[in-house]
Amino acid sequence: MFTARKKGRLAVIGAVAVSAAVALAGCSSSSSPLDAGSTSGASTSGSDTIVIGSQAYYSNEIIAEIYAQALEAQGVSVQRQFNIGQREAYIPSLEDGSVTLFPEYTGNLLQYFDSSATATSPEDVYTALQGALPQGLEALDYAEATDQDSYNVTKEWSEQNGVTSLEDLSKVTTPLTVGANSEFQTRPYGPDGLKSAYGVTVTVTPIEDSGGPLTVKALKDGQVQLADIYSADPNIATNDLVTLKDPKGLILAQNVVPIINSAAATDQVKEVINKVSAALTVDDLIALNSKSVNDQESTDKIASDWLTEKGLK
């Protein structure tokens, strides 16, 4: 089990080795599926232990820690496998049961399993996701909270170019670049999707911090005109950025949703986690992220305080 907790952000490029001696705090585009020094859930954990994973993204880890503490408060044995990385790394671990519970996002996960999905509303995306998940994985109740990819520009650039939506980008005559993780290039809402939906051509400048401070700096310095930043990131408001509207629904609804391996989906576990989802709002998630980014509070404290506030601990 990890005993260290993250604070703030740390951009990690390449493989991420997680150890109990290092408190990681950041966003990353890739990492090893499971740290070689940590315990793999299916092979060594007791059958009643819930192994909770997280992406190498501070906000996702906060949600994972909330799941962990909520279950522990009800006497459930929990093991943490945080900072695993992106879907290509952790989905196999969920399927084989070495990780049994993971906070996910409905739209992106749906497109991971079904690239031709056409659902856009939160309810329709969730329903489609339930049908797209492979055998052995289940989606528990989704939360109101969303944290989705979004195209952002500076307020100055928005006003100079008359751009407030993705549609408006078609009238910009100068080349457009977007700062984003390298995998953004192949995402359905990346350059190909933007070209198909809005007739807009962009190139990707890889910045491997998942919309973190390096991405924001590149945007503010004019190195890129657009930046892919998660919608619940408090830095959008802090830096007075403009999130471009998406009238054609290029980016699907991205509600926070717990994904669980069916072998671990006991009534008790589902009840506890569904209560967390029912309580987690959009404003809550932005506030939780702000405590990490701006106040530099530890992940375990952020999670504990929120659970106490909501009467879930």
Side-chain angles (χ1 to χ4, degrees):
M1 180 186 298
F2 292 115
T3 56
R5 297 288 182 268
K6 296 191 302 182
K7 292 182 68 177
R9 294 178 180 262
L10 175 64
V12 182
I13 302 177
V16 178
V18 182
S19 71
V22 179
L24 287 180
C27 306
S28 165
S29 63
S30 61
S31 69
S32 58
L34 292 175
D35 175 64
S38 61
T39 304
S40 176
S43 60
T44 59
S45 296
S47 59
D48 294 332
T49 297
I50 301 299
V51 184
I52 302 176
S54 84
Q55 298 175 358
Y57 169 45
Y58 76 104
S59 180
N60 192 258
E61 183 176 323
I62 291 171
I63 301 169
E65 180 62 25
I66 287 173
Y67 291 172
Q69 291 190 27
L71 288 169
E72 287 173 333
Q74 299 302 316
V76 178
S77 175
V78 168
Q79 189 174 99
R80 294 162 175 81
Q81 293 284 9
F82 294 167
N83 275 295
I84 295 176
Q86 299 296 320
R87 289 179 186 88
E88 293 78 5
Y90 63 73
I91 291 297
S93 298
L94 263 172
E95 292 184 290
D96 70 22
S98 54
V99 172
T100 51
L101 178 64
F102 211 103
E104 255 289 359
Y105 307 93
T106 53
N108 279 353
L109 188 60
L110 171 60
Q111 289 181 321
Y112 177 87
F113 288 114
D114 181 7
S115 61
S116 62
T118 58
T120 57
S121 71
E123 297 84 359
D124 290 346
V125 169
Y126 178 69
T127 298
L129 173 62
Q130 289 176 304
L133 286 174
Q135 185 174 2
L137 296 185
E138 299 178 24
L140 303 185
D141 294 350
Y142 70 88
E144 175 198 296
T146 62
D147 198 7
Q148 61 198 58
D149 294 82
S150 64
Y151 285 88
N152 294 266
V153 299
T154 64
K155 185 177 182 181
E156 180 183 14
W157 193 90
S158 171
E159 293 174 347
Q160 287 177 346
N161 293 276
V163 171
T164 58
S165 77
L166 294 177
E167 276 186 323
D168 295 334
L169 290 173
S170 61
K171 64 187 178 184
V172 179
T173 57
T174 55
L176 295 172
T177 58
V178 54
N181 284 356
S182 54
E183 65 266 17
F184 185 81
Q185 180 70 48
T186 60
R187 297 305 192 216
Y189 44 81
D192 289 347
L194 195 62
K195 180 69 173 178
S196 176
Y198 293 103
V200 175
T201 299
V202 298
T203 57
V204 175
T205 296
I207 306 174
E208 310 294 350
D209 72 340
S210 297
L214 297 178
T215 301
V216 173
K217 185 177 188 303
L219 182 64
K220 295 178 69 175
D221 290 349
Q223 297 173 20
V224 298
Q225 292 73 50
L226 305 152
D228 175 37
I229 302 174
Y230 296 124
S231 59
D233 191 327
N235 276 317
I236 292 176
T238 300
N239 291 279
D240 203 20
L241 303 182
V242 176
T243 298
L244 300 184
K245 298 174 184 176
D246 179 18
K248 296 184 178 181
L250 173 63
I251 301 173
L252 304 189
Q254 306 289 351
N255 296 81
V256 175
V257 63
I259 303 298
I260 192 167
N261 186 289
S262 297
T266 66
D267 289 343
Q268 181 188 23
V269 170
K270 290 193 290 185
E271 181 181 1
V272 170
I273 300 303
N274 284 339
K275 285 182 178 179
V276 169
S277 292
L280 187 60
T281 68
V282 173
D283 289 341
D284 283 339
L285 188 55
I286 294 173
L288 293 170
N289 290 346
S290 180
K291 288 184 177 183
S292 176
V293 173
N294 298 323
D295 301 337
Q296 295 290 293
E297 290 186 10
S298 64
T299 301
D300 56 351
K301 183 178 187 304
I302 294 170
S304 179
D305 288 350
W306 183 84
L307 286 165
T308 300
E309 174 192 338
K310 299 295 182 178
L312 298 173
K313 185 177 180 180

